[in-house]
Amino acid sequence: MKPVLYIVVPCYNEQEVLPMTSRLFLDKLLQLEACGKISGESRVLFVNDGSKDGTWDIICRLAEEDRHFLGIAQSRNRGHQNAVLAGLMEAKDRCDITISIDCDGQDDINAMDKMVDAYLDGCEVVYGVRSKRDTDTFFKRFTAEAFYKLLNRMGAEVVFNHADYRLMSSRVLQELAGFKEVNLFLRGMVPLVGFKSTAVSYERRERIAGESHYPFSKMLGLAIDGITSMSVRPLRMIISFGFLVAILSFIGVIWALFQRLIGGTAWGWASMTCIICFVSGVQLISLGVIGEYIGKIYMETKHRPRYIISERTWEKMNRGEDEPGRR
Ligand code: UDP
Ligand code: MG
Protein backbone atom coordinates (compact mmCIF):
# COMPACT_ATOMS: atom_id res chain seq x y z
CA MET A 1 0.00 0.00 0.00
CA LYS A 2 1.33 3.39 -0.95
CA PRO A 3 1.49 5.88 1.92
CA VAL A 4 -0.94 8.80 2.08
CA LEU A 5 0.98 12.08 2.38
CA TYR A 6 -0.42 15.30 3.82
CA ILE A 7 1.60 18.46 3.21
CA VAL A 8 0.77 20.77 6.13
CA VAL A 9 1.17 24.47 5.36
CA PRO A 10 0.61 27.24 7.96
CA CYS A 11 -0.48 30.53 6.43
CA TYR A 12 -0.77 33.94 8.01
CA ASN A 13 -1.54 36.93 5.77
CA GLU A 14 -0.10 35.20 2.74
CA GLN A 15 -2.47 36.29 -0.03
CA GLU A 16 0.46 37.42 -2.17
CA VAL A 17 2.37 34.12 -2.19
CA LEU A 18 -0.38 31.56 -1.79
CA PRO A 19 -1.60 31.58 -5.41
CA MET A 20 1.97 30.88 -6.54
CA THR A 21 3.16 28.40 -3.94
CA SER A 22 -0.10 26.40 -3.87
CA ARG A 23 0.64 25.42 -7.50
CA LEU A 24 4.13 24.29 -6.51
CA PHE A 25 2.76 22.15 -3.68
CA LEU A 26 0.17 20.57 -5.96
CA ASP A 27 2.69 19.88 -8.73
CA LYS A 28 5.01 18.21 -6.23
CA LEU A 29 2.17 16.09 -4.85
CA LEU A 30 1.10 14.99 -8.34
CA GLN A 31 4.69 14.26 -9.31
CA LEU A 32 5.25 12.07 -6.22
CA GLU A 33 1.95 10.36 -6.99
CA ALA A 34 2.95 9.80 -10.62
CA CYS A 35 6.25 8.13 -9.62
CA GLY A 36 4.25 5.77 -7.46
CA LYS A 37 5.76 6.86 -4.16
CA ILE A 38 2.56 8.11 -2.54
CA SER A 39 -1.13 7.33 -2.71
CA GLY A 40 -3.71 9.24 -4.74
CA GLU A 41 -5.44 10.12 -1.48
CA SER A 42 -2.57 12.51 -0.60
CA ARG A 43 -3.48 16.14 0.07
CA VAL A 44 -2.16 19.64 0.71
CA LEU A 45 -3.64 20.88 4.01
CA PHE A 46 -3.50 24.64 4.55
CA VAL A 47 -3.92 26.03 8.04
CA ASN A 48 -5.15 29.61 8.06
CA ASP A 49 -3.78 31.16 11.22
CA GLY A 50 -6.36 33.91 11.69
CA SER A 51 -5.22 35.91 8.65
CA LYS A 52 -6.58 39.41 8.27
CA ASP A 53 -6.30 39.48 4.48
CA GLY A 54 -7.82 37.29 1.77
CA THR A 55 -5.82 34.15 2.63
CA TRP A 56 -8.82 32.08 3.77
CA ASP A 57 -10.84 33.00 0.67
CA ILE A 58 -7.96 31.84 -1.50
CA ILE A 59 -7.73 28.55 0.45
CA CYS A 60 -11.49 27.97 0.06
CA ARG A 61 -11.28 28.67 -3.65
CA LEU A 62 -8.37 26.28 -4.06
CA ALA A 63 -10.31 23.57 -2.19
CA GLU A 64 -13.25 24.02 -4.54
CA GLU A 65 -11.07 23.91 -7.64
CA ASP A 66 -9.06 20.83 -6.80
CA ARG A 67 -9.77 17.93 -4.44
CA HIS A 68 -6.08 17.76 -3.51
CA PHE A 69 -6.42 21.00 -1.56
CA LEU A 70 -7.90 21.09 1.93
CA GLY A 71 -7.99 23.87 4.47
CA ILE A 72 -8.73 24.46 8.12
CA ALA A 73 -9.01 27.83 9.83
CA GLN A 74 -7.95 28.68 13.36
CA SER A 75 -10.47 30.83 15.21
CA ARG A 76 -7.80 33.55 15.61
CA ASN A 77 -4.10 34.14 15.13
CA ARG A 78 -2.17 31.87 17.49
CA GLY A 79 1.28 31.89 15.94
CA HIS A 80 3.21 29.61 13.65
CA GLN A 81 3.89 26.78 16.11
CA ASN A 82 0.23 26.39 17.08
CA ALA A 83 -0.83 26.56 13.44
CA VAL A 84 1.58 23.77 12.49
CA LEU A 85 0.42 21.64 15.42
CA ALA A 86 -3.26 22.19 14.49
CA GLY A 87 -2.53 20.98 10.95
CA LEU A 88 -0.52 17.98 12.10
CA MET A 89 -3.17 16.89 14.61
CA GLU A 90 -5.90 17.28 12.00
CA ALA A 91 -3.86 15.19 9.57
CA LYS A 92 -2.62 12.47 11.91
CA ASP A 93 -5.67 10.19 11.66
CA ARG A 94 -6.07 10.63 7.94
CA CYS A 95 -2.64 9.88 6.55
CA ASP A 96 0.58 7.89 6.92
CA ILE A 97 3.03 10.76 6.59
CA THR A 98 2.99 14.53 6.97
CA ILE A 99 5.46 17.09 5.74
CA SER A 100 5.19 20.54 7.33
CA ILE A 101 6.48 23.44 5.25
CA ASP A 102 6.10 27.24 5.26
CA CYS A 103 3.92 28.66 2.55
CA ASP A 104 6.33 31.35 1.31
CA GLY A 105 8.39 29.17 -1.06
CA GLN A 106 11.62 29.67 0.93
CA ASP A 107 12.11 25.99 1.64
CA ASP A 108 13.07 23.97 -1.42
CA ILE A 109 10.10 21.81 -2.27
CA ASN A 110 12.29 19.30 -4.14
CA ALA A 111 13.70 18.11 -0.81
CA MET A 112 10.34 16.33 -0.38
CA ASP A 113 11.47 13.59 -2.78
CA LYS A 114 14.44 12.80 -0.56
CA MET A 115 12.23 12.98 2.53
CA VAL A 116 9.72 10.49 1.14
CA ASP A 117 12.57 8.20 0.00
CA ALA A 118 14.00 8.28 3.54
CA TYR A 119 10.56 7.37 4.89
CA LEU A 120 10.25 4.49 2.45
CA ASP A 121 13.69 3.36 3.69
CA GLY A 122 12.32 3.12 7.22
CA CYS A 123 12.86 6.57 8.81
CA GLU A 124 9.92 7.96 10.78
CA VAL A 125 11.24 11.53 11.12
CA VAL A 126 13.15 13.38 8.41
CA TYR A 127 14.52 16.82 9.27
CA GLY A 128 14.99 19.38 6.51
CA VAL A 129 18.30 21.10 7.20
CA ARG A 130 19.40 24.30 5.46
CA SER A 131 22.71 23.79 3.71
CA LYS A 132 23.40 27.44 2.92
CA ARG A 133 21.99 30.73 4.00
CA ASP A 134 23.40 32.80 1.14
CA THR A 135 20.11 34.51 0.46
CA ASP A 136 19.65 35.63 4.07
CA THR A 137 21.12 38.94 5.15
CA PHE A 138 24.27 38.79 7.26
CA PHE A 139 22.23 39.86 10.31
CA LYS A 140 19.57 37.16 9.80
CA ARG A 141 22.22 34.50 9.24
CA PHE A 142 24.27 35.54 12.24
CA THR A 143 21.31 35.78 14.63
CA ALA A 144 19.76 32.55 13.34
CA GLU A 145 22.99 30.57 13.78
CA ALA A 146 23.58 32.09 17.21
CA PHE A 147 19.99 31.00 18.02
CA TYR A 148 20.71 27.31 17.36
CA LYS A 149 24.02 27.41 19.25
CA LEU A 150 22.44 29.15 22.23
CA LEU A 151 19.57 26.66 22.32
CA ASN A 152 21.93 23.70 22.39
CA ARG A 153 24.19 25.32 25.00
CA MET A 154 21.14 25.90 27.17
CA GLY A 155 20.09 22.29 26.99
CA ALA A 156 17.28 22.39 24.42
CA GLU A 157 18.23 19.63 22.00
CA VAL A 158 17.62 20.94 18.48
CA VAL A 159 18.92 19.95 15.04
CA PHE A 160 21.29 22.65 13.75
CA ASN A 161 19.79 24.79 10.98
CA HIS A 162 16.51 22.86 11.00
CA ALA A 163 13.32 24.87 11.26
CA ASP A 164 9.88 23.34 10.87
CA TYR A 165 10.33 21.73 7.44
CA ARG A 166 10.16 18.06 8.33
CA LEU A 167 8.51 14.75 7.56
CA MET A 168 6.82 12.83 10.35
CA SER A 169 5.01 9.52 10.20
CA SER A 170 1.55 9.17 11.72
CA ARG A 171 3.09 6.92 14.39
CA VAL A 172 5.33 9.79 15.51
CA LEU A 173 2.35 12.17 15.43
CA GLN A 174 0.30 9.85 17.64
CA GLU A 175 3.10 10.00 20.19
CA LEU A 176 3.57 13.74 19.74
CA ALA A 177 -0.12 14.15 20.57
CA GLY A 178 0.75 12.85 24.05
CA PHE A 179 3.02 15.86 24.67
CA LYS A 180 0.42 18.07 26.26
CA GLU A 181 2.44 21.25 26.83
CA VAL A 182 0.84 24.56 25.98
CA ASN A 183 4.16 26.35 25.37
CA LEU A 184 5.01 24.84 22.04
CA PHE A 185 8.46 24.49 20.58
CA LEU A 186 8.14 21.75 17.99
CA ARG A 187 11.83 21.79 17.06
CA GLY A 188 12.68 20.74 20.58
CA MET A 189 9.73 18.38 21.08
CA VAL A 190 10.11 16.21 17.97
CA PRO A 191 13.63 14.96 18.86
CA LEU A 192 12.22 13.98 22.27
CA VAL A 193 9.61 11.74 20.61
CA GLY A 194 12.49 9.70 19.21
CA PHE A 195 12.08 6.99 16.51
CA LYS A 196 14.48 6.45 13.62
CA SER A 197 15.34 9.79 12.09
CA THR A 198 17.57 11.33 9.46
CA ALA A 199 18.18 14.71 7.85
CA VAL A 200 18.14 15.91 4.26
CA SER A 201 19.75 19.19 3.27
CA TYR A 202 18.27 21.84 1.02
CA GLU A 203 18.99 25.40 0.02
CA ARG A 204 16.88 28.10 1.54
CA ARG A 205 15.71 30.75 -0.89
CA GLU A 206 14.29 34.21 -0.54
CA ARG A 207 10.61 34.68 0.04
CA ILE A 208 8.69 34.61 -3.26
CA ALA A 209 6.56 37.57 -2.12
CA GLY A 210 5.25 39.20 1.04
CA GLU A 211 7.21 39.88 4.20
CA SER A 212 8.68 37.82 7.01
CA HIS A 213 6.59 37.59 10.18
CA TYR A 214 9.70 36.88 12.21
CA PRO A 215 11.61 40.08 12.92
CA PHE A 216 14.47 40.02 15.43
CA SER A 217 12.22 40.68 18.44
CA LYS A 218 10.00 37.67 17.62
CA MET A 219 13.04 35.47 17.04
CA LEU A 220 14.42 36.47 20.41
CA GLY A 221 11.04 35.63 21.96
CA LEU A 222 11.08 32.23 20.25
CA ALA A 223 14.62 31.59 21.55
CA ILE A 224 13.65 32.43 25.14
CA ASP A 225 10.50 30.33 24.80
CA GLY A 226 12.48 27.47 23.29
CA ILE A 227 15.05 27.47 26.06
CA THR A 228 12.65 27.84 28.96
CA SER A 229 10.19 25.29 27.52
CA MET A 230 12.82 22.65 26.94
CA SER A 231 15.38 23.03 29.71
CA VAL A 232 15.99 24.17 33.29
CA ARG A 233 19.63 24.94 32.62
CA PRO A 234 19.21 28.74 33.12
CA LEU A 235 18.03 28.03 36.69
CA ARG A 236 21.16 25.97 37.32
CA MET A 237 23.24 28.78 35.84
CA ILE A 238 21.76 31.16 38.39
CA ILE A 239 22.98 28.86 41.15
CA SER A 240 26.49 28.70 39.66
CA PHE A 241 26.51 32.43 39.16
CA GLY A 242 25.26 32.94 42.73
CA PHE A 243 28.22 30.91 43.97
CA LEU A 244 30.62 32.97 41.86
CA VAL A 245 29.21 36.25 43.19
CA ALA A 246 29.37 34.86 46.74
CA ILE A 247 33.06 33.97 46.30
CA LEU A 248 33.79 37.42 44.85
CA SER A 249 31.90 39.04 47.73
CA PHE A 250 33.90 37.00 50.22
CA ILE A 251 37.15 38.22 48.65
CA GLY A 252 35.67 41.76 48.75
CA VAL A 253 34.91 41.42 52.46
CA ILE A 254 38.47 40.33 53.23
CA TRP A 255 39.77 43.22 51.13
CA ALA A 256 37.47 45.67 52.96
CA LEU A 257 38.58 44.40 56.38
CA PHE A 258 42.20 44.69 55.32
CA GLN A 259 41.63 48.27 54.15
CA ARG A 260 39.94 49.04 57.48
CA LEU A 261 42.94 47.69 59.36
CA ILE A 262 45.45 49.76 57.42
CA GLY A 263 43.19 52.81 57.76
CA GLY A 264 42.32 53.42 54.10
CA THR A 265 38.48 53.19 54.31
CA ALA A 266 37.57 56.80 53.58
CA TRP A 267 37.76 56.39 49.83
CA GLY A 268 35.38 53.41 49.59
CA TRP A 269 32.35 55.11 48.05
CA ALA A 270 32.93 54.22 44.38
CA SER A 271 33.73 50.57 45.05
CA MET A 272 30.68 50.28 47.31
CA THR A 273 28.39 51.76 44.67
CA CYS A 274 29.79 49.41 42.02
CA ILE A 275 29.23 46.36 44.19
CA ILE A 276 25.67 47.37 45.07
CA CYS A 277 24.81 48.03 41.42
CA PHE A 278 26.38 44.77 40.28
CA VAL A 279 24.72 42.60 42.87
CA SER A 280 21.31 44.18 42.44
CA GLY A 281 21.63 43.71 38.67
CA VAL A 282 22.45 40.05 39.13
CA GLN A 283 19.51 39.63 41.50
CA LEU A 284 17.07 41.26 39.10
CA ILE A 285 18.19 39.11 36.19
CA SER A 286 17.92 35.99 38.36
CA LEU A 287 14.45 36.97 39.49
CA GLY A 288 13.51 37.56 35.85
CA VAL A 289 14.67 34.07 34.85
CA ILE A 290 12.78 32.49 37.74
CA GLY A 291 9.75 34.63 36.84
CA GLU A 292 9.86 33.34 33.27
CA TYR A 293 9.61 29.77 34.55
CA ILE A 294 6.81 30.66 36.96
CA GLY A 295 4.97 32.29 34.05
CA LYS A 296 5.38 29.08 32.06
CA ILE A 297 4.05 26.98 34.95
CA TYR A 298 1.08 29.37 35.27
CA MET A 299 0.21 29.05 31.59
CA GLU A 300 0.62 25.27 31.69
CA THR A 301 -1.66 24.86 34.72
CA LYS A 302 -4.53 26.48 32.86
CA HIS A 303 -4.58 23.66 30.27
CA ARG A 304 -6.02 25.96 27.66
CA PRO A 305 -6.56 24.46 24.20
CA ARG A 306 -3.55 24.93 21.95
CA TYR A 307 -5.67 25.63 18.92
CA ILE A 308 -9.33 26.06 18.07
CA ILE A 309 -10.47 25.18 14.59
CA SER A 310 -13.38 27.30 13.46
CA GLU A 311 -13.82 26.11 9.87
CA ARG A 312 -12.87 23.25 7.59
CA THR A 313 -13.13 23.55 3.83
CA TRP A 314 -14.79 20.13 3.43
CA GLU A 315 -17.50 21.04 5.96
CA LYS A 316 -17.97 24.44 4.38
CA MET A 317 -18.54 23.00 0.94
CA ASN A 318 -21.09 20.70 2.57
CA ARG A 319 -20.34 17.78 0.30
CA GLY A 320 -20.14 14.65 2.37
CA GLU A 321 -17.95 12.79 -0.10
CA ASP A 322 -15.23 15.41 0.22
CA GLU A 323 -14.61 14.65 3.88
CA PRO A 324 -11.06 13.32 3.85
CA GLY A 325 -11.11 9.78 5.19
CA ARG A 326 -10.46 9.22 8.89
CA ARG A 327 -8.87 5.96 9.92
N1 UDP B 1 2.92 32.06 10.18
C1 UDP B 1 1.78 31.66 10.86
N2 UDP B 1 1.35 32.40 11.93
C2 UDP B 1 2.02 33.52 12.36
C3 UDP B 1 3.20 33.89 11.67
C4 UDP B 1 3.63 33.13 10.59
O1 UDP B 1 1.16 30.66 10.51
O2 UDP B 1 1.57 34.14 13.32
C5 UDP B 1 3.38 31.25 9.01
C6 UDP B 1 3.67 32.04 7.74
O3 UDP B 1 2.52 32.19 6.96
C7 UDP B 1 4.70 31.18 7.06
C8 UDP B 1 5.45 30.55 8.22
O4 UDP B 1 4.62 30.68 9.36
O5 UDP B 1 4.13 30.13 6.29
C9 UDP B 1 6.80 31.19 8.48
O6 UDP B 1 6.68 32.59 8.63
P1 UDP B 1 7.69 33.61 7.93
O7 UDP B 1 7.98 33.18 6.54
O8 UDP B 1 7.09 34.97 8.09
O9 UDP B 1 8.98 33.47 8.85
P2 UDP B 1 10.55 33.42 8.39
O10 UDP B 1 10.63 32.42 7.30
O11 UDP B 1 10.89 34.79 7.94
O12 UDP B 1 11.27 33.01 9.62
MG1 MG C 1 9.65 32.48 5.59
Side-chain angles (χ1 to χ4, degrees):
M1 269 265 284
K2 288 173 196 161
V4 177
L5 166 69
Y6 269 46
I7 302 177
V8 174
V9 192
C11 311
Y12 176 58
N13 293 347
E14 300 283 11
Q15 62 180 13
E16 281 145 60
V17 278
L18 205 51
M20 287 179 260
T21 50
S22 55
R23 291 285 126 210
L24 300 177
F25 294 136
L26 182 60
D27 289 349
K28 180 48 74 185
L29 205 71
L30 295 177
Q31 186 203 324
L32 284 166
E33 219 178 288
C35 0
K37 287 184 184 170
I38 58 168
S39 143
E41 292 304 305
S42 300
R43 299 284 181 268
V44 181
L45 174 65
F46 295 107
V47 184
N48 175 38
D49 187 19
S51 301
K52 293 175 183 67
D53 63 1
T55 302
W56 181 237
D57 297 333
I58 297 175
I59 294 172
C60 293
R61 209 165 51 235
L62 288 168
E64 270 169 26
E65 281 167 16
D66 194 308
R67 68 187 172 89
H68 289 94
F69 288 123
L70 302 172
I72 56 174
Q74 292 222 80
S75 59
R76 52 159 293 166
N77 179 250
R78 291 291 303 272
H80 172 244
Q81 297 287 297
N82 298 63
V84 174
L85 186 76
L88 293 175
M89 291 301 119
E90 190 71 24
K92 78 177 190 323
D93 300 319
R94 308 175 194 273
C95 65
D96 302 295
I97 31 177
T98 57
I99 296 180
S100 50
I101 185 168
D102 292 351
C103 86
D104 54 12
Q106 285 193 280
D107 299 326
D108 182 11
I109 198 153
N110 294 317
M112 286 190 189
D113 298 69
K114 288 188 269 175
M115 287 183 172
V116 173
D117 287 343
Y119 169 79
L120 296 173
D121 281 346
C123 289
E124 305 255 358
V125 183
V126 188
Y127 300 103
V129 174
R130 297 163 191 175
S131 56
K132 287 196 261 174
R133 282 181 169 267
D134 292 353
T135 52
D136 282 348
T137 60
F138 171 76
F139 183 72
K140 175 92 186 178
R141 196 162 63 217
F142 176 77
T143 49
E145 288 186 354
F147 169 79
Y148 291 102
K149 287 188 184 140
L150 182 73
L151 281 171
N152 276 320
R153 278 266 164 87
M154 290 291 171
E157 193 190 318
V158 288
V159 179
F160 190 69
N161 263 342
H162 159 69
D164 283 298
Y165 184 20
R166 77 174 80 77
L167 176 148
M168 278 187 274
S169 70
S170 58
R171 202 147 73 102
V172 172
L173 291 173
Q174 300 295 349
E175 299 302 334
L176 185 69
F179 285 57
K180 298 288 183 201
E181 59 235 68
V182 180
N183 296 287
L184 290 177
F185 189 63
L186 292 169
R187 271 173 248 193
M189 289 159 67
V190 175
L192 292 179
V193 179
F195 290 97
K196 191 174 176 203
S197 68
T198 187
V200 301
S201 61
Y202 67 93
E203 276 180 38
R204 181 151 160 107
R205 306 207 184 94
E206 276 178 77
R207 239 176 189 278
I208 294 184
E211 275 179 17
S212 168
H213 304 95
Y214 274 92
F216 180 67
S217 56
K218 257 197 174 178
M219 245 177 56
L220 193 67
L222 188 68
I224 293 175
D225 253 0
I227 294 164
T228 51
S229 300
M230 304 310 299
S231 151
V232 290
R233 197 168 289 176
L235 291 175
R236 302 239 169 93
M237 283 171 68
I238 292 180
I239 299 175
S240 317
F241 206 60
F243 271 118
L244 186 74
V245 173
I247 291 167
L248 287 177
S249 310
F250 184 66
I251 296 169
V253 167
I254 293 177
W255 170 76
L257 285 176
F258 179 70
Q259 288 295 327
R260 176 75 185 84
L261 286 178
I262 61 168
T265 44
W267 46 270
W269 182 83
S271 52
M272 192 64 82
T273 312
C274 290
I275 291 167
I276 291 171
C277 289
F278 175 69
V279 173
S280 37
V282 168
Q283 281 179 339
L284 276 182
I285 293 172
S286 309
L287 273 179
V289 174
I290 296 168
E292 178 75 25
Y293 280 95
I294 295 176
K296 284 259 145 73
I297 298 167
Y298 177 60
M299 295 312 290
E300 293 291 343
T301 54
K302 288 173 187 272
H303 299 298
R304 284 183 179 156
R306 297 179 288 183
Y307 54 86
I308 297 169
I309 297 170
S310 56
E311 279 176 274
R312 294 175 172 87
T313 47
W314 55 93
E315 288 170 359
K316 205 171 145 86
M317 292 191 297
N318 207 12
R319 295 206 304 256
E321 73 274 17
D322 281 324
E323 153 95 48
R326 255 181 201 282
R327 299 182 164 186

